[in-house]
Each structure stands twice: as C-alpha cells, then as structure tokens.
Amino acid sequence: MKKLVILGGGYGGLTVAQELLDGDLPADTVMILVDRMPYQGLKTEYYALAAGTVSDKDIRVSFPVDPRLILKYGEVSSVDPENKLVRFDNDEPLSYDWLVIALGCVDKYHNIPGAEEYSHSIQSLSSTRKTYQCANDIAPYGQVSIVGGGLSGVEMAAELRESRPDLNIRIIDRGASVLSPFPDKLQRFVREWMTEHDIEMRTHVSLARLESGLLYNQQEIIHTDMTIWTAGIQPSPIVQQLDLPKDNQGRLTINEYHQLPDYTNVYVVGDCASLPFSPSGQAAEAQGKQVAEVLQALWKNETPRLGKIKLKGVLGSLGKKSGFGLMGKRTVMTGKMPRALKSGVLWMSKFHLG
C-alpha cells in the first residue's frame, strides 16, 4: 500500500483528509493522519476557553471515522524529505509516499528576554488550559496584561472582560492602535468598545524584557499579575528545522500546487506555508481543498487546474453580543451581525461544513 501522511489535524490537515474521503482515494493508498490529540481543537476559539466562557469540549471537533483513514497519535520530532521519513520522539519512523505538512504555528517572542518564561499562551490546547487556570485564579481586581493588539489580543481582552468583570485588563501594543492593519472605521469602533468596557489600551510600547509581574517598556516598569502573549506567530519548530527555502517569516516556499519545489511529493498548508495573505483557519482550509484536488488529479495522471484562492473576509468577536467584520478589503461590519455570523461559522466548522 502507498501512504499519504498528513501531519496535523487542524484546519488545513483535516480539510485535506475530509476532501479525499468525500472524493476519490485510490484503492492502493492509505491515509494516515498524525496529531497529538484524538480531535481537532478549533484554534480560532481558544481565547474563549482561556477566558472561561466556553468549555474545552465545546471547541473540539472529532476526527472522521473511516476505514481508509488511520489515526496516529504522537509528537513529531523531525521530517526527512530526502528519505521520505517522519520521525517521532517516542516511536519508530513513519515512511510516506506523499506528505502534507500542516503543523500550525507557535508564539513568536521577537527575542525579548523573559517573554516566553513569564507570559501565557493561547497557541495550543494544552497552553490555553493553563492560561485559563491562571486567569481565573487571579484575585479580584487583579491586573491582566495582554501583549499584542491584533485579532487574538482584542478577542482575548473582550472575552476576559465578559468572564471576569472585576479584573483590570489592558492591551499593550507597539503600534498606534489596536487592529492597526484594519480600516480606521473598524479600529475606531473597537477602541470605543474597549473604552466603554474599561479595557485600557497602551500603544507605542516597546517591551525590552519581562520578569515575574513586571514588563519593561524600555526604562518604564509596568506592573501586572498575569501576562498573556498574542504578539505574533511563527511556523512549527519542525518547519523551522528544515533547511529549505523560506520567506522572511520562516514559512516554507511552495510552488503553485502547494508543493515544496525540491520535493514535489511534499505539500505544505496553513501557517507553515508562504502565502500572499496572513495565516488564518480560512486560508488553511482553502489550501487544504486545493491540495486534495492536486492529489486527485495526479492520481488520475491529469494536470491539476487550480483557481485563485479568494478569502471571504475576517470576523472577530467582542464578547458574546458584539463583534466586527471586514468583507473583502473595504466593507466594514460592526455590532451584533458580525458576531452572529462568527457563531454560524463556528457551528459549520464543528460539523465539517467549511
């Protein structure tokens, strides 16, 4: 039997598997999905788990049950494209004929001393559980500092305000505003919401180092009871180890078929792939669908024909009753409607509906 190995059961990897199970998988080919856990964690909702407004089980999606799909659990230690092997920490190497690297991302600490040691993460289910424990153990009227005013930081702050009205919450960012890449109208709406809900916004802060309970804005000392890090991501350490062409974000360079140019039996999707747009669950799913199309075409000895990936937009929440959205590049939505739309997208994801 030939083996298609998929590393990572997140948005991209699971989409590849689901599309192939729904389509054509050659009789002589077995598909092996490798993940740490026996379910997908809906990463776009980890902020809510960290805040304590949803349960762990609410943001899990079961993997497909199908005799054509083998589920393998373990911690990948390295990928050897020359010898077509995946190596594990505590298991025998796994050979493959085709490989999909969909291992996601980890926090990027920008070489700031103490950042990793003295902050909490929402990048994995395991780290998010620990963040939840710490956030909800803080004494009344304690101070939580969220480093990073992007989408994750804003959603984290808003959800924590809903969960713990007593806490002092601040967002710290080195830019001029939260959500600085977004249109002014959207930024202004979110800033006004934050002000109305007593969330402090500290801009133009350049952190020099972190210590226990202390953030150093160059010479200024900012006191905090807990720090949550949402100030950037980078590809999985497995990808960082690969000595292959990458972009300036450390993501692997791919060709028009999402393959490594030097190893065309290896596909890269999601946060590990160099793409012309920002990493997101939506982008990973769109890529996953195209990888499945490419594989099906090649198995039929046909030339793959792929369209351009078109993302529908961005949705963000401000607690459970308000939110914001950007459709295309200019259409801004604010209030209850984008929050309702995001709830609908989450429902669809839980039932493998895209």
Coordinates of all heavy atoms in Angstrom, one line a residue, residues 200-256:
E200 N -8.1 49.0 29.2 CA -7.0 50.0 29.0 C -6.2 49.6 27.7 O -6.0 48.4 27.5 CB -6.0 50.1 30.1 CG -4.9 51.1 30.0 CD -3.9 50.9 31.1 OE1 -4.0 50.1 32.0 OE2 -2.9 51.7 31.1
M201 N -5.9 50.6 26.9 CA -5.1 50.3 25.7 C -3.8 51.2 25.8 O -3.9 52.4 25.8 CB -5.9 50.7 24.4 CG -7.1 49.8 24.1 SD -8.2 50.4 22.9 CE -9.1 51.7 23.9
R202 N -2.7 50.5 25.9 CA -1.4 51.1 25.9 C -0.7 50.9 24.5 O -0.4 49.8 24.1 CB -0.5 50.5 27.0 CG -1.0 50.8 28.4 CD -0.6 52.2 28.8 NE 0.8 52.6 28.5 CZ 1.8 52.4 29.4 NH1 1.6 51.9 30.6 NH2 3.0 52.7 29.1
T203 N -0.6 52.0 23.8 CA 0.1 51.9 22.5 C 1.5 52.4 22.5 O 1.9 53.0 23.5 CB -0.8 52.7 21.5 OG1 -0.9 54.1 21.9 CG2 -2.2 52.1 21.3
H204 N 2.2 52.2 21.4 CA 3.6 52.7 21.3 C 4.5 52.2 22.4 O 5.4 52.9 22.9 CB 3.7 54.2 21.2 CG 3.0 54.8 20.1 ND1 3.3 54.5 18.7 CD2 1.9 55.6 20.0 CE1 2.5 55.2 17.9 NE2 1.6 55.8 18.7
V205 N 4.2 50.9 22.9 CA 5.0 50.3 23.9 C 6.0 49.3 23.3 O 5.6 48.5 22.5 CB 4.1 49.6 25.0 CG1 5.0 48.8 25.9 CG2 3.2 50.5 25.7
S206 N 7.3 49.5 23.6 CA 8.3 48.6 23.0 C 8.9 47.9 24.2 O 9.8 48.4 24.9 CB 9.4 49.5 22.3 OG 10.4 48.6 21.7
L207 N 8.5 46.6 24.4 CA 8.9 45.9 25.5 C 10.4 45.5 25.3 O 10.8 45.0 24.3 CB 8.1 44.6 25.7 CG 6.6 44.9 26.2 CD1 5.9 43.6 26.2 CD2 6.6 45.6 27.5
A208 N 11.2 45.7 26.4 CA 12.6 45.3 26.4 C 12.8 44.0 27.0 O 13.7 43.2 26.6 CB 13.4 46.4 27.1
R209 N 12.0 43.7 28.1 CA 12.1 42.3 28.7 C 10.9 42.1 29.7 O 10.2 43.1 30.0 CB 13.4 42.2 29.5 CG 13.6 43.0 30.8 CD 14.9 42.8 31.4 NE 15.0 43.3 32.8 CZ 15.3 44.5 33.1 NH1 15.6 45.4 32.1 NH2 15.4 44.9 34.4
L210 N 10.7 40.9 30.1 CA 9.7 40.5 31.0 C 10.3 39.9 32.2 O 11.3 39.1 32.1 CB 8.7 39.6 30.4 CG 7.5 40.2 29.5 CD1 8.1 40.8 28.2 CD2 6.5 39.1 29.2
E211 N 9.8 40.1 33.4 CA 10.1 39.4 34.6 C 8.8 39.0 35.3 O 7.7 39.3 34.8 CB 11.0 40.3 35.5 CG 12.3 40.6 34.9 CD 13.2 41.5 35.9 OE1 12.7 41.8 37.0 OE2 14.3 41.9 35.5
S212 N 8.9 38.3 36.3 CA 7.7 37.9 37.0 C 6.9 39.1 37.6 O 7.4 39.8 38.4 CB 8.0 36.9 38.2 OG 6.9 36.6 38.9
G213 N 5.8 39.4 37.0 CA 5.0 40.5 37.4 C 5.4 41.9 36.9 O 4.8 42.9 37.3
L214 N 6.4 41.9 36.1 CA 7.0 43.1 35.6 C 7.2 43.1 34.1 O 7.7 42.2 33.5 CB 8.3 43.4 36.3 CG 8.3 43.5 37.8 CD1 9.8 43.7 38.3 CD2 7.5 44.7 38.3
L215 N 6.8 44.2 33.4 CA 7.0 44.4 32.0 C 7.8 45.7 31.9 O 7.5 46.7 32.5 CB 5.7 44.6 31.2 CG 4.6 43.5 31.4 CD1 3.3 43.9 30.7 CD2 5.1 42.1 31.0
Y216 N 8.9 45.6 31.1 CA 9.8 46.8 30.9 C 9.6 47.4 29.6 O 9.9 46.9 28.5 CB 11.2 46.3 31.1 CG 11.6 45.9 32.5 CD1 11.3 44.7 33.0 CD2 12.2 46.9 33.4 CE1 11.7 44.3 34.3 CE2 12.5 46.5 34.7 CZ 12.3 45.3 35.2 OH 12.6 44.9 36.5
N217 N 9.0 48.6 29.6 CA 8.8 49.4 28.4 C 10.1 50.3 28.4 O 10.0 51.5 28.8 CB 7.5 50.2 28.5 CG 7.4 51.2 27.3 OD1 7.9 50.9 26.2 ND2 6.6 52.2 27.5
Q218 N 11.1 49.7 27.9 CA 12.5 50.4 28.0 C 12.7 50.6 29.5 O 12.9 49.7 30.2 CB 12.5 51.6 27.1 CG 12.2 51.4 25.6 CD 13.1 50.3 25.0 OE1 14.3 50.2 25.3 NE2 12.5 49.4 24.2
Q219 N 12.8 51.9 29.9 CA 13.1 52.2 31.3 C 11.8 52.2 32.2 O 11.9 52.1 33.5 CB 13.8 53.5 31.4 CG 15.1 53.6 30.7 CD 16.0 52.4 31.0 OE1 16.3 52.1 32.1 NE2 16.6 51.8 29.9
E220 N 10.6 52.3 31.6 CA 9.4 52.3 32.4 C 9.1 50.9 32.9 O 9.1 49.9 32.1 CB 8.3 52.8 31.6 CG 6.9 52.8 32.3 CD 5.7 53.0 31.4 OE1 5.9 53.0 30.2 OE2 4.6 53.2 31.9
I221 N 8.6 50.7 34.1 CA 8.2 49.4 34.6 C 6.7 49.4 34.7 O 6.0 50.3 35.3 CB 8.8 49.2 36.0 CG1 10.3 49.1 36.0 CG2 8.2 47.9 36.6 CD1 11.0 48.9 37.3
I222 N 6.1 48.4 34.1 CA 4.6 48.2 34.1 C 4.3 47.0 34.9 O 4.8 45.9 34.7 CB 4.1 48.0 32.6 CG1 4.4 49.2 31.8 CG2 2.6 47.7 32.7 CD1 4.1 49.0 30.3
H223 N 3.5 47.1 36.0 CA 3.2 46.0 36.9 C 2.0 45.2 36.4 O 1.1 45.8 35.8 CB 2.9 46.6 38.3 CG 4.1 47.2 39.0 ND1 5.0 46.5 39.7 CD2 4.6 48.4 38.9 CE1 6.0 47.3 40.2 NE2 5.8 48.5 39.7
T224 N 2.1 43.9 36.6 CA 1.0 43.1 36.1 C 0.9 41.8 37.0 O 1.9 41.4 37.6 CB 1.2 42.7 34.6 OG1 0.1 41.9 34.2 CG2 2.5 41.8 34.5
D225 N -0.3 41.2 37.1 CA -0.4 40.0 37.8 C -0.3 38.8 36.9 O 0.0 37.7 37.3 CB -1.8 39.9 38.6 CG -1.8 41.0 39.7 OD1 -0.9 40.9 40.6 OD2 -2.7 41.8 39.7
M226 N -0.6 39.0 35.6 CA -0.6 38.0 34.6 C -0.4 38.6 33.2 O -0.9 39.7 33.0 CB -1.9 37.2 34.6 CG -2.0 36.1 33.5 SD -3.6 35.4 33.4 CE -3.3 34.1 32.2
T227 N 0.4 38.0 32.4 CA 0.6 38.4 31.0 C 0.2 37.3 30.0 O 0.6 36.2 30.2 CB 2.1 38.8 30.8 OG1 2.5 39.8 31.7 CG2 2.3 39.3 29.4
I228 N -0.6 37.7 29.1 CA -1.0 36.8 28.0 C -0.3 37.3 26.7 O -0.5 38.5 26.4 CB -2.5 36.7 27.9 CG1 -3.1 36.2 29.2 CG2 -2.9 35.8 26.7 CD1 -4.7 36.3 29.2
W229 N 0.3 36.4 26.0 CA 1.1 36.8 24.8 C 0.3 36.5 23.5 O -0.1 35.4 23.2 CB 2.4 36.0 24.8 CG 3.4 36.6 23.8 CD1 3.5 36.2 22.5 CD2 4.3 37.6 24.0 NE1 4.5 37.0 21.9 CE2 5.0 37.8 22.8 CE3 4.6 38.4 25.1 CZ2 6.0 38.8 22.7 CZ3 5.6 39.3 25.0 CH2 6.3 39.5 23.8
T230 N 0.0 37.5 22.8 CA -0.6 37.4 21.5 C 0.1 38.3 20.4 O -0.6 38.8 19.5 CB -2.1 37.8 21.5 OG1 -2.3 39.2 21.8 CG2 -2.9 37.0 22.6
A231 N 1.4 38.4 20.6 CA 2.1 39.4 19.8 C 2.9 38.8 18.6 O 4.0 39.2 18.4 CB 3.1 40.2 20.7
G232 N 2.3 37.8 18.0 CA 3.0 37.3 16.8 C 3.1 35.8 16.8 O 3.1 35.1 17.9
I233 N 3.2 35.2 15.6 CA 3.4 33.7 15.5 C 4.5 33.4 14.5 O 4.9 34.3 13.7 CB 2.0 33.1 15.0 CG1 1.6 33.7 13.6 CG2 0.9 33.2 16.0 CD1 0.5 33.0 12.9
Q234 N 4.9 32.2 14.6 CA 5.9 31.6 13.6 C 5.6 30.2 13.4 O 4.9 29.5 14.2 CB 7.3 31.8 14.2 CG 7.6 31.2 15.5 CD 8.9 31.5 16.1 OE1 9.9 31.8 15.4 NE2 9.1 31.4 17.4
P235 N 6.1 29.6 12.3 CA 5.8 28.2 12.0 C 6.3 27.2 13.1 O 7.2 27.6 13.9 CB 6.5 28.0 10.7 CG 6.6 29.3 10.0 CD 6.8 30.2 11.2
S236 N 5.7 26.0 13.0 CA 6.1 25.0 14.0 C 7.6 24.8 14.0 O 8.3 24.9 12.9 CB 5.4 23.7 13.5 OG 6.1 22.6 14.0
P237 N 8.2 24.5 15.1 CA 9.6 24.2 15.2 C 10.1 23.1 14.2 O 11.3 23.1 13.8 CB 9.8 23.7 16.6 CG 8.7 24.4 17.4 CD 7.6 24.4 16.5
I238 N 9.2 22.2 13.8 CA 9.6 21.1 12.9 C 9.9 21.8 11.5 O 10.9 21.4 10.8 CB 8.4 20.1 12.7 CG1 8.0 19.6 14.0 CG2 8.9 19.0 11.7 CD1 9.1 18.9 14.8
V239 N 9.1 22.8 11.2 CA 9.4 23.5 9.9 C 10.6 24.4 10.1 O 11.5 24.5 9.1 CB 8.2 24.4 9.5 CG1 8.5 25.4 8.5 CG2 7.0 23.5 9.1
Q240 N 10.8 25.0 11.2 CA 12.0 25.9 11.4 C 13.3 25.1 11.3 O 14.3 25.6 10.8 CB 11.9 26.5 12.8 CG 10.8 27.4 13.1 CD 10.8 28.0 14.5 OE1 11.8 28.3 15.1 NE2 9.6 28.1 15.0
Q241 N 13.3 23.8 11.6 CA 14.5 22.9 11.5 C 14.8 22.6 10.0 O 16.0 22.3 9.7 CB 14.2 21.6 12.2 CG 14.1 21.8 13.8 CD 13.6 20.5 14.4 OE1 13.7 19.4 13.8 NE2 13.1 20.6 15.6
L242 N 13.8 22.6 9.1 CA 14.1 22.2 7.8 C 15.0 23.2 7.0 O 14.7 24.4 7.0 CB 12.8 22.1 7.0 CG 11.9 20.8 7.4 CD1 10.5 20.9 6.8 CD2 12.6 19.5 7.0
D243 N 16.0 22.7 6.4 CA 17.0 23.6 5.7 C 16.5 23.7 4.2 O 17.1 23.1 3.3 CB 18.4 23.0 5.8 CG 19.4 23.9 5.1 OD1 19.1 25.1 5.0 OD2 20.5 23.4 4.8
L244 N 15.4 24.4 4.1 CA 14.8 24.6 2.8 C 14.4 26.1 2.6 O 14.3 26.8 3.6 CB 13.5 23.7 2.7 CG 13.7 22.2 2.7 CD1 12.4 21.5 2.8 CD2 14.4 21.8 1.3
P245 N 14.2 26.5 1.3 CA 13.9 27.9 1.1 C 12.6 28.4 1.9 O 11.6 27.7 1.9 CB 13.6 28.0 -0.4 CG 14.4 26.9 -1.0 CD 14.3 25.8 0.1
K246 N 12.7 29.6 2.5 CA 11.6 30.1 3.3 C 11.5 31.6 3.1 O 12.4 32.2 2.6 CB 11.9 29.9 4.8 CG 12.0 28.4 5.2 CD 12.5 28.2 6.7 CE 12.6 26.7 7.0 NZ 13.3 26.5 8.2
D247 N 10.4 32.2 3.5 CA 10.2 33.6 3.3 C 10.7 34.3 4.6 O 11.3 33.6 5.5 CB 8.7 34.0 3.1 CG 7.8 33.6 4.2 OD1 8.3 33.3 5.3 OD2 6.6 33.6 4.0
N248 N 10.6 35.6 4.7 CA 11.1 36.3 5.9 C 10.4 36.0 7.2 O 10.8 36.5 8.2 CB 11.3 37.8 5.6 CG 9.9 38.4 5.2 OD1 8.9 37.8 5.3 ND2 10.0 39.7 4.8
Q249 N 9.3 35.3 7.1 CA 8.5 34.9 8.3 C 8.9 33.5 8.7 O 8.3 33.0 9.7 CB 7.0 35.0 8.0 CG 6.5 36.4 7.6 CD 6.7 37.4 8.7 OE1 6.4 37.1 9.9 NE2 7.2 38.6 8.4
G250 N 9.8 32.9 8.0 CA 10.2 31.5 8.3 C 9.3 30.4 7.7 O 9.4 29.2 8.1
R251 N 8.3 30.8 6.8 CA 7.4 29.9 6.3 C 8.0 29.3 5.0 O 8.6 30.0 4.2 CB 6.0 30.6 6.0 CG 5.4 31.1 7.3 CD 4.1 31.9 7.0 NE 4.4 33.0 6.1 CZ 3.4 33.9 5.8 NH1 2.2 33.8 6.2 NH2 3.7 35.0 5.0
L252 N 7.7 28.0 4.7 CA 8.3 27.3 3.6 C 7.8 27.8 2.3 O 6.5 28.0 2.1 CB 8.0 25.8 3.7 CG 8.7 25.1 4.8 CD1 8.1 23.7 5.1 CD2 10.2 24.9 4.4
T253 N 8.7 28.0 1.4 CA 8.3 28.5 0.0 C 7.7 27.3 -0.8 O 8.2 26.2 -0.7 CB 9.6 29.0 -0.7 OG1 10.2 30.0 0.0 CG2 9.2 29.4 -2.2
I254 N 6.6 27.5 -1.4 CA 5.9 26.5 -2.2 C 5.6 26.9 -3.6 O 5.7 28.1 -3.9 CB 4.6 26.1 -1.5 CG1 3.7 27.3 -1.3 CG2 4.8 25.4 -0.1 CD1 2.3 27.1 -0.7
N255 N 5.3 25.9 -4.5 CA 5.0 26.2 -5.8 C 3.5 26.4 -6.0 O 2.7 26.4 -5.0 CB 5.5 25.2 -6.8 CG 4.9 23.8 -6.6 OD1 3.8 23.7 -6.0 ND2 5.6 22.8 -7.0
E256 N 3.0 26.5 -7.2 CA 1.6 26.8 -7.5 C 0.7 25.7 -7.1 O -0.5 25.8 -6.9 CB 1.3 27.2 -8.9 CG 1.5 26.1 -9.9 CD 3.0 25.9 -10.4 OE1 3.9 26.3 -9.7 OE2 3.1 25.5 -11.6

